[in-house]
Amino acid sequence: MRNRLKELRAERGWSQQDLAERLDVSRQSVNAIETGKYDPSLPLAFRIAEVFAMRIEDIFLKG
């Protein structure tokens, strides 16, 4: 699953560690999601959407 996590994080000037702390996950988890090695659980996807004040569909893209 493709996602815009890295782009959205960069727009805000956040490091992977910054985002990890906001999501209460490890920096490695953020990296794995950004690189497509790991798809977040639904609860984590909702937290990500909440942190960015966006819809899940606008962060996680099909294809």
Side-chain angles (χ1 to χ4, degrees):
M1 178 184 309
R2 295 185 313 118
N3 66 72
R4 300 179 52 215
L5 208 56
K6 185 174 183 177
E7 167 193 342
L8 295 169
R9 181 176 56 75
E11 286 174 1
R12 289 157 178 78
W14 297 345
S15 67
Q16 287 183 341
Q17 185 63 43
D18 293 332
L19 180 55
E21 289 171 5
R22 286 173 167 83
L23 297 172
D24 196 30
V25 299
S26 69
R27 185 201 58 77
Q28 291 86 349
S29 293
V30 170
N31 180 267
I33 295 168
E34 285 186 357
T35 58
K37 294 178 180 161
Y38 170 73
D39 289 334
S41 65
L42 199 52
L44 179 53
F46 275 109
R47 285 204 314 271
I48 291 168
E50 185 177 317
V51 163
F52 287 110
M54 297 176 72
R55 297 180 321 152
I56 289 175
E57 299 85 5
D58 295 330
I59 298 172
F60 297 94
L61 314 168
K62 293 181 183 176

